[in-house]
Amino acid sequence: QVQPVESGGGSVRAGGSLRLSCAVSEYPYSIPCMGWFRQAPGNEREGVATIYSGTGSIYYFDSVKGRFTIYQDSAKKTLYLQMNSLKPEDTAVYYCAVSPFCVSQRTSADDFSFWGQGTQVTVSS
């Protein structure tokens, strides 16, 4: 069973920081492709950052470059998103997405097979 479970969302003031976590504890193997996506009310889902552990490749979408950091634990089964310098426009439900079967970097939501239920991040001005 591949079920990502997110945690770490909450409410912060602009300029603050949060760290999100995503654990896939029931899956016995490392997961090569993991990523974060988000969706704000009335908006389409958009990418935040993805990682491919096969090469260590990381991709950040433009809106978060220089502010967010994505990384995995050594077992490659827990994903983190360190979010600094948060802005009100970062307010959204953040989703963890994983694909155990990929063989290269993935950046499209369509390439990820399993999704968490999401965690709310609210940034006030």
Side-chain angles (χ1 to χ4, degrees):
Q1 179 72 14
V2 184
Q3 180 57 60
V5 178
E6 304 100 334
S7 60
S11 298
V12 295
R13 301 288 291 271
S17 298
L18 282 173
R19 189 181 76 159
L20 305 183
S21 301
C22 171
V24 189
S25 57
E26 298 300 319
Y27 191 70
Y29 308 107
S30 63
I31 299 177
C33 287
M34 303 182 81
W36 292 99
F37 295 80
R38 67 187 183 185
Q39 187 167 19
N43 290 0
E44 294 185 355
R45 183 174 51 191
E46 63 176 7
V48 176
T50 68
I51 189 167
Y52 174 58
S53 62
T55 58
S57 177
I58 291 174
Y59 183 88
Y60 293 103
F61 288 77
D62 288 345
S63 60
V64 305
K65 283 182 180 177
R67 300 188 299 123
F68 291 10
T69 302
I70 187 173
Y71 59 102
Q72 287 177 301
D73 71 337
S74 58
K76 305 295 189 289
K77 292 176 59 178
T78 302
L79 183 70
Y80 300 94
L81 184 69
Q82 178 65 44
M83 305 185 293
N84 298 328
S85 302
L86 282 161
K87 305 175 182 180
E89 50 264 44
D90 293 318
T91 295
V93 177
Y94 283 69
Y95 296 93
C96 173
V98 306
S99 178
F101 314 115
C102 67
V103 295
S104 63
Q105 177 89 46
R106 292 290 182 259
T107 58
S108 170
D110 291 340
D111 292 328
F112 290 85
S113 309
F114 301 93
W115 292 76
Q117 293 185 330
T119 186
Q120 177 70 45
V121 172
T122 302
V123 185
S124 59
S125 58

